[in-house]
Amino acid sequence: MDRENENGYLPPLKTYIDNIYQYDKIFIGFPTWDMQLPPPMKSFLHQTDLSGKTVIPFSTHGGYDVGISFETLKQLCPESEVLEGFSIKGGPERDGILLPVKGERAKETDTRVLKWLQDI
């Protein structure tokens, strides 16, 4: 992951959203990779014209927050209105397996997401 970002690698995508032009508001979600926008998202933003759209980013991370990923997204969408993004730490990891957010933390996450949506 780190090497892909360092080298500027843009992986080819297997799918393309051919009707994205129909939408005025686009939510873009992704996992933060080493505090950066992951290369597949950079590929998507390079090949998709979001000019004139409202772009709403959200991400998960492993504990180091969003880093520069939202700023990179803004740079790749210069003709779009990019709203305040939302980022939250994902579930815990055990032996290399990511676990879901549960219990009180799930309730807190729901509250934070609803507040963010109301704010934007």
Side-chain angles (χ1 to χ4, degrees):
M1 291 186 289
D2 295 342
R3 197 171 316 146
E4 289 178 357
N5 266 321
E6 288 172 10
N7 295 332
Y9 175 67
L10 296 176
L13 302 179
K14 292 182 179 182
T15 59
Y16 180 77
I17 304 170
D18 58 0
N19 65 343
I20 202 162
Y21 65 88
Q22 297 176 7
Y23 303 99
D24 296 325
K25 294 182 174 116
I26 312 290
F27 282 81
I28 295 182
F30 54 88
T32 301
W33 286 14
D34 193 33
M35 299 179 65
Q36 297 185 52
L37 190 66
M41 291 307 303
K42 291 176 187 175
S43 292
F44 171 76
L45 294 170
H46 276 284
Q47 77 179 29
T48 307
D49 182 10
L50 298 178
S51 298
K53 308 279 185 207
T54 300
V55 175
I56 307 147
F58 63 97
S59 75
T60 59
H61 59 82
Y64 293 102
D65 208 5
V66 71
I68 62 169
S69 58
F70 288 168
E71 188 57 41
T72 302
L73 185 139
K74 286 180 188 178
Q75 292 170 1
L76 295 173
C77 298
E79 302 297 322
S80 303
E81 177 185 10
V82 179
L83 299 186
E84 177 186 345
F86 178 82
S87 184
I88 193 158
K89 184 177 186 242
E93 178 181 343
R94 184 174 303 133
D95 299 323
I97 298 171
L98 297 176
L99 303 173
V101 175
K102 295 184 192 178
E104 285 301 313
R105 189 144 175 269
K107 291 176 189 173
E108 175 191 333
T109 299
D110 286 348
T111 300
R112 286 187 56 205
V113 169
L114 288 174
K115 182 181 181 330
W116 169 66
L117 291 171
Q118 290 168 349
D119 289 348
I120 62 167

